[in-house]
Amino acid sequence: MPKILFTGKREVVVDEGTSILDAALSSGVSIYHTCGGNASCSTCRVKILKGFENLSPIEEAETQVLDSFDLKTPFRLGCQAQVLNGEVEVEIPKWERAPRPNKTPKVP
Ligand code: FES
């Protein structure tokens, strides 16, 4: 059975074809997924440290998102990259959401 090591977090055994996002969510590993796994937001981006060859090929929709955010190998979208066999080591980049603008009107 394929295995995913989420660096610094945990190792999970998954069924063949499980996406990195699904594996993370089902094992309690926190990962953004703003568009719900539809290859349109890039918030699920992950860095593949080992086992890139054990993932599903990059399809057109994923290519478009990666290109639009200038993300190159070894980045993949967690919602699109499925683990096919072997072991994959994944780093979930630390990044911050932009702070929300303060919508409270200023009192003069
Ligand atoms: Fe939006 Fe993966 S969850 S691109």
Side-chain angles (χ1 to χ4, degrees):
M1 297 261 286
K3 217 184 294 185
I4 303 175
L5 171 62
F6 291 101
T7 302
K9 299 189 186 310
R10 68 188 49 154
E11 185 173 286
V12 293
V13 175
V14 297
D15 290 331
E16 178 184 335
T18 301
S19 74
I20 292 172
L21 176 63
D22 286 343
L25 295 178
S26 65
S27 61
V29 174
S30 178
I31 182 171
Y32 287 118
H33 53 289
T34 304
C35 75
N38 292 308
S40 60
C41 71
S42 93
T43 58
C44 65
R45 68 185 71 168
V46 293
K47 189 174 185 181
I48 308 301
L49 303 179
K50 290 182 189 165
F52 201 91
E53 69 280 4
N54 294 329
L55 297 173
S56 57
I58 300 174
E59 303 285 340
E60 182 61 29
E62 183 178 4
T63 297
Q64 288 181 4
V65 174
L66 292 172
D67 287 350
S68 67
F69 287 92
D70 200 28
L71 296 169
K72 313 253 185 258
T73 303
F75 281 94
R76 292 288 308 262
L77 297 181
C79 68
Q80 302 301 302
Q82 300 172 334
V83 184
L84 302 179
N85 54 56
E87 294 185 18
V88 177
E89 185 173 348
V90 173
E91 178 183 291
I92 300 173
K94 291 180 183 169
W95 61 287
E96 305 278 336
R97 288 182 184 210
R100 291 183 180 190
N102 184 355
K103 296 190 176 182
T104 305
K106 289 186 178 177
V107 178

